[in-house]
Amino acid sequence: MAMLWKFMRVAKYSKTALSPKVKVRGIPTHSRHSSSKSAPSDFASNTPCSHTVELLGKAYPLDDYSNVTEKILSKVGKNLHNKKHHPLWLIKEQVKDHFYKQYIGRRGNPLFSVYDGLSPVVTVQQNFDSLLIPQNHASRRKEDNYYLNRDHMLRAHTSAHQWDLIRSGLDAFLAVGDVYRRDTIDSTHYPVFHQMEGVRLFSCHELFSNIKDGEGLQLFEQGHRTAHKQECHTMEAVRLVEFNLKQVLTKLMTHIFGDGLQVRWVDCYFPFTHPSFEMEIKFQGEWMEVLGCGVMEQQLVNSAGAQDKIGWAFGLGLERLAMILYDIPDIRLFWSEDERFWKQFIVPHIWQKIKFQPLSKYPPLINDISFWLPSETYSKNDFYDLARTIGGDLIEKVVLVDEFTHPKTKKVSHCYRIIYRHPERTLTQDEVHQIHQAIEESAVRELGVEGRF
């Protein structure tokens, strides 16, 4: 389950620029800006074309909704959560180990099954429609997601697999994988990160069997939807599901972080759970959100074929947990191939305490870029994606530091501060200048801005 409110343009590539597993075929029919015809780029216009992209052994036609970039496609299949001794693998294995040992089925087997190899390419129906997310919901926007075309996308959350797994007959499962969202650029945000989804369904007997005089209690009623429950759920059922959910997650976090952990719950809203909550833990004196959860929408459960059951779902970010547990300061480090990073996590067992030793802190190089916005719709995430595509992981942070509207022309100007810092070596001003200049030129060519450089 994911924070959906935090959820570009057609991608165009030259064949030589793509990695071996990512191929794009076809020639664009036309480009939006005439200057883009003579300069290859990872961005193109919002116009239909005959391209196809081959990803994970399948071909997908590109259309006016396609906005995935080569930089993002190069991350598909890395599966850091399955790379032994990687910090994300360690966190995943710790959660698995806890669930396997804590929750046992009637036959003595683990109650929860684990799926960590599901394809990150999903249909729009899986990612949104199956979760009852309305057609006009903000989380569907191109500005926030990576679409292969109008029908397929890179999953924005592991919740995209909920319906299929419930439909297959599962009552309790964990789904783990890489997810993709267009987002801001700083030390805690990256367009690819990793989530773990948890789902548990209860029959009437399972939920009420340990309740005194529980024989007369029911899961469902013909009632009214309130802030505390869905119209089809009895209050007794919702309270027990909510209690079980919070107990399960509090035990998990305490097991990972220790008995001194402070936890609090905050009411919130998710489209496919009600009521919904966020868990925050106190870390280094500050409250930090680590997961979202809630009672599953019964319409979703019913449509997946489990009409006689009620359930909960949660979603947690593996990077967030690993950064807190191991004190990793920069999310880019999870993608590092520097042995000074990954060797710190080669430990004899998954519960080994690890205190990350920072690599040498190399100095930042800071450059600003200013431009007038085009008259048509402009998205900051378009610029962030462009900067990531060109500068890659050399960019530590991008901040909008100034926004100005001309009093006469009413044109709007943005000034972004780009902080360049390599996590493994010192950058030179010459190489940063070349990257920064390429970003300036591409912003004019691909986004239609008017440079003020």
Side-chain angles (χ1 to χ4, degrees):
M1 209 192 66
M3 279 94 250
L4 284 173
W5 59 84
K6 295 179 184 176
F7 273 62
M8 156 181 175
R9 313 161 80 90
V10 177
K12 176 179 73 175
Y13 315 105
S14 66
K15 293 182 180 179
T16 57
L18 295 167
S19 60
K21 67 178 179 183
V22 179
K23 299 178 182 178
V24 173
R25 296 175 177 174
I27 299 175
T29 54
H30 60 280
S31 296
R32 178 177 177 183
H33 305 297
S34 59
S35 59
S36 67
K37 295 180 180 179
S38 60
S41 167
D42 286 329
F43 293 79
S45 63
N46 261 330
T47 54
C49 65
S50 59
H51 288 168
T52 62
V53 58
E54 294 180 13
L55 184 61
L56 301 178
K58 294 184 179 181
Y60 301 91
L62 302 184
D63 58 25
D64 62 320
Y65 238 65
S66 307
N67 67 355
V68 68
T69 66
E70 183 209 354
K71 184 72 176 177
I72 296 302
L73 290 173
S74 70
K75 304 291 187 182
V76 178
K78 297 292 186 181
N79 297 326
L80 299 184
H81 60 288
N82 289 335
K83 187 176 180 180
K84 194 170 183 179
H85 296 299
H86 191 280
L88 298 180
W89 176 85
L90 288 173
I91 289 288
K92 181 196 75 171
E93 292 299 311
Q94 288 181 23
V95 178
K96 280 174 53 180
D97 183 66
H98 173 77
F99 272 88
Y100 279 171
K101 292 177 179 177
Q102 190 74 26
Y103 307 101
I104 307 298
R106 287 175 294 184
R107 298 181 180 179
N109 297 322
L111 180 65
F112 285 81
S113 52
V114 178
Y115 299 85
D116 57 11
L118 300 170
S119 173
V121 180
V122 298
T123 63
V124 172
Q125 193 278 336
Q126 287 175 300
N127 199 81
F128 296 120
D129 298 333
S130 72
L131 299 172
L132 313 178
I133 297 172
Q135 288 288 332
N136 60 351
H137 196 274
S139 64
R140 292 177 179 254
R141 296 184 308 173
K142 288 175 63 178
E143 288 82 357
D144 298 319
N145 298 281
Y146 288 106
Y147 286 93
L148 294 174
N149 51 42
R150 282 187 171 270
D151 297 320
H152 293 86
M153 62 187 298
L154 297 177
R155 63 187 169 207
H157 43 213
T158 45
S159 308
H161 304 292
Q162 272 188 17
W163 193 93
D164 293 316
L165 292 173
I166 294 173
R167 186 69 175 177
S168 72
L170 295 174
D171 286 343
F173 58 84
L174 303 174
V176 193
D178 44 331
V179 299
Y180 300 78
R181 295 188 205 162
R182 303 179 71 200
D183 210 339
T184 188
I185 301 177
D186 59 35
S187 62
T188 61
H189 292 85
Y190 202 77
V192 189
F193 57 103
H194 298 75
Q195 279 189 342
M196 175 175 284
E197 191 85 7
V199 168
R200 175 77 195 276
L201 301 180
F202 301 89
S203 66
C204 186
H205 172 74
E206 288 170 325
L207 192 61
F208 297 128
S209 60
N210 295 323
I211 303 299
K212 184 179 179 180
D213 300 324
E215 298 83 2
L217 298 178
Q218 300 294 322
L219 296 180
F220 307 112
E221 68 176 7
Q222 294 295 323
H224 301 281
R225 192 179 188 95
T226 70
H228 306 290
K229 76 176 197 70
Q230 298 170 41
E231 56 270 28
C232 57
H233 292 159
T234 64
M235 183 58 73
E236 295 84 1
V238 170
R239 290 304 188 200
L240 282 173
V241 170
E242 179 184 326
F243 175 79
N244 180 267
L245 170 61
K246 291 181 177 180
Q247 186 181 51
V248 165
L249 294 174
T250 300
K251 282 184 178 179
L252 172 63
M253 292 300 140
T254 301
H255 197 63
I256 291 176
F257 293 103
D259 291 332
L261 183 73
Q262 291 181 267
V263 173
R264 73 180 182 188
W265 296 94
V266 180
D267 293 343
C268 63
Y269 167 75
F270 297 116
F272 48 96
T273 59
H274 179 75
S276 305
F277 316 94
E278 288 178 348
M279 173 192 269
E280 296 181 347
I281 66 173
K282 200 165 192 177
F283 179 71
Q284 295 183 348
E286 295 185 6
W287 288 100
M288 300 182 67
E289 176 227 318
V290 292
L291 59 84
C293 61
V295 179
M296 296 186 71
E297 285 285 350
Q298 196 60 39
Q299 184 182 342
L300 189 163
V301 177
N302 291 348
S303 68
Q307 295 91 337
D308 58 341
K309 296 181 180 179
I310 185 174
W312 52 245
F314 73 80
L316 58 84
L318 298 186
E319 277 88 350
R320 173 60 60 86
L321 295 185
M323 292 179 80
I324 296 173
L325 183 62
Y326 302 129
D327 200 18
I328 298 173
D330 193 323
I331 197 170
R332 294 176 300 165
L333 286 168
F334 290 106
W335 298 90
S336 174
E337 297 182 357
D338 190 327
E339 66 174 19
R340 293 174 299 166
F341 175 76
W342 54 260
K343 274 191 173 182
Q344 297 187 44
F345 300 94
I346 299 178
V347 290
H349 59 85
I350 60 173
W351 295 104
Q352 174 82 38
K353 289 189 178 298
I354 302 171
K355 173 69 174 178
F356 174 67
Q357 300 301 315
L359 311 181
S360 298
K361 191 68 172 179
Y362 298 100
L365 292 175
I366 301 174
N367 288 262
D368 291 351
I369 178 172
S370 299
F371 46 74
W372 297 105
L373 305 189
S375 56
E376 61 239 48
T377 302
Y378 166 85
S379 167
K380 287 188 290 185
N381 281 345
D382 283 343
F383 178 70
Y384 294 150
D385 252 1
L386 184 147
R388 283 190 194 278
T389 299
I390 297 172
D393 288 349
L394 300 185
I395 297 178
E396 178 179 83
K397 189 173 185 179
V398 179
V399 184
L400 177 62
V401 293
D402 185 58
E403 185 170 356
F404 167 74
T405 301
H406 194 282
K408 292 184 178 179
T409 65
K410 304 303 179 183
K411 293 176 64 176
V412 178
S413 171
H414 278 188
C415 177
Y416 294 90
R417 179 153 296 155
I418 304 179
I419 301 174
Y420 299 86
R421 190 199 316 255
H422 199 294
E424 299 161 7
R425 65 177 176 84
T426 300
L427 293 173
T428 67
Q429 185 60 57
D430 285 344
E431 63 181 316
V432 167
H433 175 73
Q434 293 180 32
I435 296 169
H436 198 74
Q437 188 174 27
I439 292 174
E440 292 175 340
E441 294 172 353
S442 291
V444 172
R445 183 174 62 246
E446 310 299 346
L447 303 183
V449 304
E450 180 184 339
R452 301 181 67 190
F453 348 112

